[in-house]
Amino acid sequence: MDHFLIRIGANIVIFASIFLFPWWFPVALALVCLFLFENYFEILLVGLFLDVLYASSADFSLSSMLFTFAATIVLSISFFIKKNVAL
Amino acid sequence: MIYLQKSKKRNRRFTPVIIIVLFLVVSGLLVAFMPTSLGGAMRYVGLPFWHTKNFLVDRTSHISGFFRTKNSLMTENDNLRDELGSLREKLIAYDALNSEHARLLAEHGRSTTTRRILATVLSRPPQSPYDVLILDVGSRDNVSVGDVIYGSGGIAMGVVSETSGRTSKVDLFSKTGLETQAIIERTGLAITLRGIGGGSFEVQVPQEADIMRGDTVIIPTLETVIIGEVVEVESVVTSAFKRILIQAPINISYIRFVFVEPKN
C-alpha cells in the first residue's frame, strides 16, 4: 500500500513539474520512476502531455509526438533490461 | 476429466506490448484529430500552476540581492547608469524618426496605428522544449490564430498557433525548421530565415551577398519591425554559399510580457 501511495505521490510531482519546471525536469523524474517502479506506463502520459502542451498543432507530423515516441522507446527498453538483467 | 490450464505467463508477456500499441494509436488519433481541444484542456489545467509560479517568482526575485557585496552592486549600478545614458540618447533619436515615419505614412494615406493586447507569458523556453510561448490571453480577448506577437520594444517574435478561451500558444519565429520571410535593412536583400531554436535563425546566401555582422533584419511590413540582428557570418572559400547566423535581440528566456496584434 505504501508503495502504491509513493507512486501516486511521484506521479503528482511529475505532473505538476510539467507546468512548473523546464521540460527536462519531469523527463528526468519520469526516467527515475521508470526504474523504481514496475510497469511504469505513466511515462507514456508524461510524453503525451509534453507534446500536447508544447508541440505545434498546426501541422500534425511525427515530430509533433516526439516525447510520446521517446517515452515508448524508453519504456520498451526498460522492459527488456528489467527482464534480462538482474539488478 | 483433467484439462490442461492455459499458460497465463505467455499472455502476460504480450500485455505491455498491447497497452503500448493501444496507447500510441489512441494518442495519435487524439493529437491528429483534436489537437486544439487537447492543448486547450492542458493549458486550462496548467493555468493555476503558472499563475502560482509567476506570483512566487515575483515575490522572491529580489532575494539574490541579499547575497551580493556592496562593491559588486555599485559597479553594476555604474555600468547600468552608463548604458541607460546611451540608450536614452538613442531613444530620443528613435522617437523623432518614428514620429516622422508615421507622419510620412499619414501623408500618403496609410496608418500604422494598431491596437495591441498586453499578455503575460505563462511558459517560455527553456521550460517549453519547442520554442513555444504560452500566453494568458485567448479567444475571449479577441486573440486568434495567425496574430503576430511583439516584444516590449516592438520586436516581432512569433505568431499565435493555437487559442482557447483564456490561453494561447505562440510559435516563435525561431522555432526549429520554421521559415520566415525577412529583409536585411541596410541593403534591402530579401532572405528566408530558418529557425534553429533558442531565439536564433540561420540563412544560406551566395558568397557575394552583402551581409555584415551587426546588420539589422526586419520583416516585410509597412512599419520597420525588427526580427533579429546578424551575429555571425560563416564563410568558407570553397563553398558557393555562406551561412549567416541571426539572433533575436530579446532573451526569450526572460520575457514576462508581450503584445498581441490582432489581425482584425
PDB file of all heavy atoms in Angstrom, chain B residues 57-82:
ATOM      1  N   VAL B  57       7.670  33.785  -8.159  1.00  0.00           N
ATOM      2  CA  VAL B  57       8.889  34.339  -8.769  1.00  0.00           C
ATOM      3  C   VAL B  57       8.940  35.844  -8.541  1.00  0.00           C
ATOM      4  O   VAL B  57       9.994  36.398  -8.198  1.00  0.00           O
ATOM      5  CB  VAL B  57       8.948  33.990 -10.276  1.00  0.00           C
ATOM      6  CG1 VAL B  57      10.035  34.785 -10.983  1.00  0.00           C
ATOM      7  CG2 VAL B  57       9.201  32.509 -10.477  1.00  0.00           C
ATOM      8  N   ASP B  58       7.803  36.525  -8.699  1.00  0.00           N
ATOM      9  CA  ASP B  58       7.757  37.979  -8.462  1.00  0.00           C
ATOM     10  C   ASP B  58       8.141  38.324  -7.034  1.00  0.00           C
ATOM     11  O   ASP B  58       8.854  39.296  -6.780  1.00  0.00           O
ATOM     12  CB  ASP B  58       6.339  38.512  -8.735  1.00  0.00           C
ATOM     13  CG  ASP B  58       6.073  38.648 -10.220  1.00  0.00           C
ATOM     14  OD1 ASP B  58       7.036  38.531 -10.988  1.00  0.00           O
ATOM     15  OD2 ASP B  58       4.903  38.851 -10.600  1.00  0.00           O
ATOM     16  N   ARG B  59       7.642  37.521  -6.088  1.00  0.00           N
ATOM     17  CA  ARG B  59       7.873  37.819  -4.669  1.00  0.00           C
ATOM     18  C   ARG B  59       9.282  37.465  -4.192  1.00  0.00           C
ATOM     19  O   ARG B  59       9.755  38.014  -3.209  1.00  0.00           O
ATOM     20  CB  ARG B  59       6.857  37.052  -3.803  1.00  0.00           C
ATOM     21  CG  ARG B  59       5.432  37.518  -3.968  1.00  0.00           C
ATOM     22  CD  ARG B  59       5.309  38.942  -3.485  1.00  0.00           C
ATOM     23  NE  ARG B  59       4.163  39.625  -4.045  1.00  0.00           N
ATOM     24  CZ  ARG B  59       3.072  39.934  -3.381  1.00  0.00           C
ATOM     25  NH1 ARG B  59       2.986  39.629  -2.111  1.00  0.00           N
ATOM     26  NH2 ARG B  59       2.076  40.556  -3.968  1.00  0.00           N
ATOM     27  N   THR B  60       9.925  36.543  -4.887  1.00  0.00           N
ATOM     28  CA  THR B  60      11.225  36.065  -4.391  1.00  0.00           C
ATOM     29  C   THR B  60      12.401  36.485  -5.274  1.00  0.00           C
ATOM     30  O   THR B  60      13.535  36.150  -4.970  1.00  0.00           O
ATOM     31  CB  THR B  60      11.221  34.531  -4.266  1.00  0.00           C
ATOM     32  OG1 THR B  60      10.856  33.994  -5.546  1.00  0.00           O
ATOM     33  CG2 THR B  60      10.246  34.039  -3.219  1.00  0.00           C
ATOM     34  N   SER B  61      12.126  37.233  -6.344  1.00  0.00           N
ATOM     35  CA  SER B  61      13.203  37.543  -7.299  1.00  0.00           C
ATOM     36  C   SER B  61      14.288  38.426  -6.687  1.00  0.00           C
ATOM     37  O   SER B  61      15.432  38.421  -7.147  1.00  0.00           O
ATOM     38  CB  SER B  61      12.627  38.215  -8.544  1.00  0.00           C
ATOM     39  OG  SER B  61      11.916  39.369  -8.166  1.00  0.00           O
ATOM     40  N   HIS B  62      13.955  39.209  -5.634  1.00  0.00           N
ATOM     41  CA  HIS B  62      14.934  40.134  -5.057  1.00  0.00           C
ATOM     42  C   HIS B  62      15.826  39.456  -4.004  1.00  0.00           C
ATOM     43  O   HIS B  62      16.777  40.056  -3.522  1.00  0.00           O
ATOM     44  CB  HIS B  62      14.209  41.315  -4.411  1.00  0.00           C
ATOM     45  CG  HIS B  62      13.284  40.894  -3.307  1.00  0.00           C
ATOM     46  ND1 HIS B  62      12.018  40.438  -3.571  1.00  0.00           N
ATOM     47  CD2 HIS B  62      13.454  40.822  -1.976  1.00  0.00           C
ATOM     48  CE1 HIS B  62      11.436  40.117  -2.421  1.00  0.00           C
ATOM     49  NE2 HIS B  62      12.282  40.335  -1.437  1.00  0.00           N
ATOM     50  N   ILE B  63      15.530  38.209  -3.673  1.00  0.00           N
ATOM     51  CA  ILE B  63      16.262  37.532  -2.587  1.00  0.00           C
ATOM     52  C   ILE B  63      17.762  37.437  -2.893  1.00  0.00           C
ATOM     53  O   ILE B  63      18.600  37.623  -2.006  1.00  0.00           O
ATOM     54  CB  ILE B  63      15.659  36.132  -2.313  1.00  0.00           C
ATOM     55  CG1 ILE B  63      14.320  36.315  -1.601  1.00  0.00           C
ATOM     56  CG2 ILE B  63      16.596  35.268  -1.475  1.00  0.00           C
ATOM     57  CD1 ILE B  63      13.558  35.044  -1.360  1.00  0.00           C
ATOM     58  N   SER B  64      18.113  37.207  -4.171  1.00  0.00           N
ATOM     59  CA  SER B  64      19.532  37.036  -4.518  1.00  0.00           C
ATOM     60  C   SER B  64      20.337  38.291  -4.183  1.00  0.00           C
ATOM     61  O   SER B  64      21.549  38.223  -3.966  1.00  0.00           O
ATOM     62  CB  SER B  64      19.674  36.686  -5.999  1.00  0.00           C
ATOM     63  OG  SER B  64      19.135  37.736  -6.775  1.00  0.00           O
ATOM     64  N   GLY B  65      19.694  39.462  -4.141  1.00  0.00           N
ATOM     65  CA  GLY B  65      20.367  40.727  -3.815  1.00  0.00           C
ATOM     66  C   GLY B  65      20.997  40.735  -2.439  1.00  0.00           C
ATOM     67  O   GLY B  65      22.010  41.404  -2.213  1.00  0.00           O
ATOM     68  N   PHE B  66      20.418  39.965  -1.507  1.00  0.00           N
ATOM     69  CA  PHE B  66      20.946  39.916  -0.139  1.00  0.00           C
ATOM     70  C   PHE B  66      22.349  39.309  -0.081  1.00  0.00           C
ATOM     71  O   PHE B  66      23.120  39.572   0.819  1.00  0.00           O
ATOM     72  CB  PHE B  66      20.022  39.086   0.766  1.00  0.00           C
ATOM     73  CG  PHE B  66      18.744  39.826   1.105  1.00  0.00           C
ATOM     74  CD1 PHE B  66      17.522  39.353   0.667  1.00  0.00           C
ATOM     75  CD2 PHE B  66      18.773  40.991   1.872  1.00  0.00           C
ATOM     76  CE1 PHE B  66      16.347  40.018   0.976  1.00  0.00           C
ATOM     77  CE2 PHE B  66      17.605  41.665   2.178  1.00  0.00           C
ATOM     78  CZ  PHE B  66      16.389  41.185   1.738  1.00  0.00           C
ATOM     79  N   PHE B  67      22.653  38.467  -1.061  1.00  0.00           N
ATOM     80  CA  PHE B  67      23.914  37.726  -1.028  1.00  0.00           C
ATOM     81  C   PHE B  67      25.010  38.390  -1.876  1.00  0.00           C
ATOM     82  O   PHE B  67      26.041  37.801  -2.127  1.00  0.00           O
ATOM     83  CB  PHE B  67      23.684  36.286  -1.497  1.00  0.00           C
ATOM     84  CG  PHE B  67      22.659  35.569  -0.665  1.00  0.00           C
ATOM     85  CD1 PHE B  67      21.365  35.404  -1.130  1.00  0.00           C
ATOM     86  CD2 PHE B  67      22.991  35.085   0.587  1.00  0.00           C
ATOM     87  CE1 PHE B  67      20.411  34.766  -0.357  1.00  0.00           C
ATOM     88  CE2 PHE B  67      22.042  34.444   1.360  1.00  0.00           C
ATOM     89  CZ  PHE B  67      20.747  34.279   0.893  1.00  0.00           C
ATOM     90  N   ARG B  68      24.773  39.614  -2.336  1.00  0.00           N
ATOM     91  CA  ARG B  68      25.773  40.279  -3.171  1.00  0.00           C
ATOM     92  C   ARG B  68      26.492  41.353  -2.368  1.00  0.00           C
ATOM     93  O   ARG B  68      25.909  41.975  -1.480  1.00  0.00           O
ATOM     94  CB  ARG B  68      25.094  40.881  -4.401  1.00  0.00           C
ATOM     95  CG  ARG B  68      24.420  39.803  -5.236  1.00  0.00           C
ATOM     96  CD  ARG B  68      23.822  40.365  -6.456  1.00  0.00           C
ATOM     97  NE  ARG B  68      24.838  40.903  -7.364  1.00  0.00           N
ATOM     98  CZ  ARG B  68      24.538  41.474  -8.521  1.00  0.00           C
ATOM     99  NH1 ARG B  68      23.285  41.582  -8.891  1.00  0.00           N
ATOM    100  NH2 ARG B  68      25.482  41.943  -9.302  1.00  0.00           N
ATOM    101  N   THR B  69      27.741  41.542  -2.743  1.00  0.00           N
ATOM    102  CA  THR B  69      28.536  42.517  -1.989  1.00  0.00           C
ATOM    103  C   THR B  69      28.184  43.934  -2.438  1.00  0.00           C
ATOM    104  O   THR B  69      27.689  44.149  -3.539  1.00  0.00           O
ATOM    105  CB  THR B  69      30.036  42.287  -2.200  1.00  0.00           C
ATOM    106  OG1 THR B  69      30.289  42.465  -3.589  1.00  0.00           O
ATOM    107  CG2 THR B  69      30.457  40.894  -1.779  1.00  0.00           C
ATOM    108  N   LYS B  70      28.499  44.878  -1.547  1.00  0.00           N
ATOM    109  CA  LYS B  70      28.207  46.281  -1.824  1.00  0.00           C
ATOM    110  C   LYS B  70      28.972  46.753  -3.072  1.00  0.00           C
ATOM    111  O   LYS B  70      28.437  47.459  -3.921  1.00  0.00           O
ATOM    112  CB  LYS B  70      28.629  47.105  -0.611  1.00  0.00           C
ATOM    113  CG  LYS B  70      27.860  48.376  -0.424  1.00  0.00           C
ATOM    114  CD  LYS B  70      28.274  48.994   0.888  1.00  0.00           C
ATOM    115  CE  LYS B  70      27.581  50.303   1.135  1.00  0.00           C
ATOM    116  NZ  LYS B  70      27.969  50.879   2.428  1.00  0.00           N
ATOM    117  N   ASN B  71      30.261  46.324  -3.168  1.00  0.00           N
ATOM    118  CA  ASN B  71      31.100  46.753  -4.292  1.00  0.00           C
ATOM    119  C   ASN B  71      30.546  46.288  -5.628  1.00  0.00           C
ATOM    120  O   ASN B  71      30.510  47.041  -6.598  1.00  0.00           O
ATOM    121  CB  ASN B  71      32.528  46.202  -4.122  1.00  0.00           C
ATOM    122  CG  ASN B  71      33.357  47.117  -3.256  1.00  0.00           C
ATOM    123  OD1 ASN B  71      32.987  48.268  -3.029  1.00  0.00           O
ATOM    124  ND2 ASN B  71      34.461  46.598  -2.744  1.00  0.00           N
ATOM    125  N   SER B  72      30.142  45.009  -5.685  1.00  0.00           N
ATOM    126  CA  SER B  72      29.639  44.483  -6.960  1.00  0.00           C
ATOM    127  C   SER B  72      28.357  45.208  -7.366  1.00  0.00           C
ATOM    128  O   SER B  72      28.134  45.489  -8.542  1.00  0.00           O
ATOM    129  CB  SER B  72      29.406  42.975  -6.861  1.00  0.00           C
ATOM    130  OG  SER B  72      28.257  42.699  -6.116  1.00  0.00           O
ATOM    131  N   LEU B  73      27.523  45.543  -6.369  1.00  0.00           N
ATOM    132  CA  LEU B  73      26.289  46.270  -6.674  1.00  0.00           C
ATOM    133  C   LEU B  73      26.590  47.674  -7.190  1.00  0.00           C
ATOM    134  O   LEU B  73      25.949  48.153  -8.126  1.00  0.00           O
ATOM    135  CB  LEU B  73      25.397  46.355  -5.427  1.00  0.00           C
ATOM    136  CG  LEU B  73      24.639  45.082  -5.066  1.00  0.00           C
ATOM    137  CD1 LEU B  73      23.964  45.221  -3.712  1.00  0.00           C
ATOM    138  CD2 LEU B  73      23.601  44.737  -6.129  1.00  0.00           C
ATOM    139  N   MET B  74      27.617  48.325  -6.578  1.00  0.00           N
ATOM    140  CA  MET B  74      27.975  49.687  -7.013  1.00  0.00           C
ATOM    141  C   MET B  74      28.530  49.668  -8.433  1.00  0.00           C
ATOM    142  O   MET B  74      28.194  50.521  -9.255  1.00  0.00           O
ATOM    143  CB  MET B  74      29.004  50.291  -6.036  1.00  0.00           C
ATOM    144  CG  MET B  74      28.355  50.841  -4.767  1.00  0.00           C
ATOM    145  SD  MET B  74      29.552  51.219  -3.499  1.00  0.00           S
ATOM    146  CE  MET B  74      30.386  52.606  -4.208  1.00  0.00           C
ATOM    147  N   THR B  75      29.378  48.677  -8.733  1.00  0.00           N
ATOM    148  CA  THR B  75      29.941  48.563 -10.089  1.00  0.00           C
ATOM    149  C   THR B  75      28.831  48.351 -11.109  1.00  0.00           C
ATOM    150  O   THR B  75      28.794  48.986 -12.165  1.00  0.00           O
ATOM    151  CB  THR B  75      30.937  47.368 -10.156  1.00  0.00           C
ATOM    152  OG1 THR B  75      31.785  47.442  -9.025  1.00  0.00           O
ATOM    153  CG2 THR B  75      31.747  47.384 -11.424  1.00  0.00           C
ATOM    154  N   GLU B  76      27.926  47.449 -10.760  1.00  0.00           N
ATOM    155  CA  GLU B  76      26.822  47.155 -11.676  1.00  0.00           C
ATOM    156  C   GLU B  76      25.952  48.397 -11.874  1.00  0.00           C
ATOM    157  O   GLU B  76      25.517  48.693 -12.989  1.00  0.00           O
ATOM    158  CB  GLU B  76      25.980  46.000 -11.111  1.00  0.00           C
ATOM    159  CG  GLU B  76      24.991  45.470 -12.132  1.00  0.00           C
ATOM    160  CD  GLU B  76      24.143  44.332 -11.609  1.00  0.00           C
ATOM    161  OE1 GLU B  76      24.569  43.660 -10.662  1.00  0.00           O
ATOM    162  OE2 GLU B  76      23.041  44.153 -12.154  1.00  0.00           O
ATOM    163  N   ASN B  77      25.742  49.124 -10.797  1.00  0.00           N
ATOM    164  CA  ASN B  77      24.942  50.344 -10.851  1.00  0.00           C
ATOM    165  C   ASN B  77      25.579  51.364 -11.796  1.00  0.00           C
ATOM    166  O   ASN B  77      24.884  51.974 -12.624  1.00  0.00           O
ATOM    167  CB  ASN B  77      24.824  50.911  -9.429  1.00  0.00           C
ATOM    168  CG  ASN B  77      23.726  51.927  -9.327  1.00  0.00           C
ATOM    169  OD1 ASN B  77      22.819  51.948 -10.157  1.00  0.00           O
ATOM    170  ND2 ASN B  77      23.791  52.776  -8.331  1.00  0.00           N
ATOM    171  N   ASP B  78      26.906  51.532 -11.699  1.00  0.00           N
ATOM    172  CA  ASP B  78      27.613  52.474 -12.579  1.00  0.00           C
ATOM    173  C   ASP B  78      27.475  52.061 -14.039  1.00  0.00           C
ATOM    174  O   ASP B  78      27.199  52.881 -14.914  1.00  0.00           O
ATOM    175  CB  ASP B  78      29.099  52.542 -12.191  1.00  0.00           C
ATOM    176  CG  ASP B  78      29.288  53.304 -10.891  1.00  0.00           C
ATOM    177  OD1 ASP B  78      28.356  54.049 -10.510  1.00  0.00           O
ATOM    178  OD2 ASP B  78      30.344  53.152 -10.251  1.00  0.00           O
ATOM    179  N   ASN B  79      27.707  50.753 -14.290  1.00  0.00           N
ATOM    180  CA  ASN B  79      27.607  50.258 -15.676  1.00  0.00           C
ATOM    181  C   ASN B  79      26.220  50.484 -16.239  1.00  0.00           C
ATOM    182  O   ASN B  79      26.049  50.897 -17.383  1.00  0.00           O
ATOM    183  CB  ASN B  79      27.949  48.760 -15.738  1.00  0.00           C
ATOM    184  CG  ASN B  79      29.405  48.508 -15.434  1.00  0.00           C
ATOM    185  OD1 ASN B  79      30.225  49.402 -15.552  1.00  0.00           O
ATOM    186  ND2 ASN B  79      29.724  47.288 -15.008  1.00  0.00           N
ATOM    187  N   LEU B  80      25.207  50.186 -15.415  1.00  0.00           N
ATOM    188  CA  LEU B  80      23.828  50.341 -15.878  1.00  0.00           C
ATOM    189  C   LEU B  80      23.501  51.804 -16.143  1.00  0.00           C
ATOM    190  O   LEU B  80      22.776  52.129 -17.090  1.00  0.00           O
ATOM    191  CB  LEU B  80      22.846  49.752 -14.858  1.00  0.00           C
ATOM    192  CG  LEU B  80      22.809  48.235 -14.780  1.00  0.00           C
ATOM    193  CD1 LEU B  80      21.924  47.774 -13.627  1.00  0.00           C
ATOM    194  CD2 LEU B  80      22.270  47.635 -16.083  1.00  0.00           C
ATOM    195  N   ARG B  81      24.056  52.702 -15.313  1.00  0.00           N
ATOM    196  CA  ARG B  81      23.804  54.139 -15.498  1.00  0.00           C
ATOM    197  C   ARG B  81      24.389  54.603 -16.826  1.00  0.00           C
ATOM    198  O   ARG B  81      23.755  55.344 -17.571  1.00  0.00           O
ATOM    199  CB  ARG B  81      24.413  54.916 -14.319  1.00  0.00           C
ATOM    200  CG  ARG B  81      23.856  56.331 -14.235  1.00  0.00           C
ATOM    201  CD  ARG B  81      24.357  57.029 -12.997  1.00  0.00           C
ATOM    202  NE  ARG B  81      23.834  56.422 -11.779  1.00  0.00           N
ATOM    203  CZ  ARG B  81      24.452  56.399 -10.604  1.00  0.00           C
ATOM    204  NH1 ARG B  81      25.650  56.912 -10.500  1.00  0.00           N
ATOM    205  NH2 ARG B  81      23.892  55.872  -9.546  1.00  0.00           N
ATOM    206  N   ASP B  82      25.629  54.117 -17.147  1.00  0.00           N
ATOM    207  CA  ASP B  82      26.248  54.478 -18.438  1.00  0.00           C
ATOM    208  C   ASP B  82      25.393  53.978 -19.607  1.00  0.00           C
ATOM    209  O   ASP B  82      25.158  54.693 -20.572  1.00  0.00           O
ATOM    210  CB  ASP B  82      27.650  53.851 -18.543  1.00  0.00           C
ATOM    211  CG  ASP B  82      28.616  54.516 -17.571  1.00  0.00           C
ATOM    212  OD1 ASP B  82      28.271  55.613 -17.066  1.00  0.00           O
ATOM    213  OD2 ASP B  82      29.685  53.927 -17.313  1.00  0.00           O
TER     214      ASP B  82
END
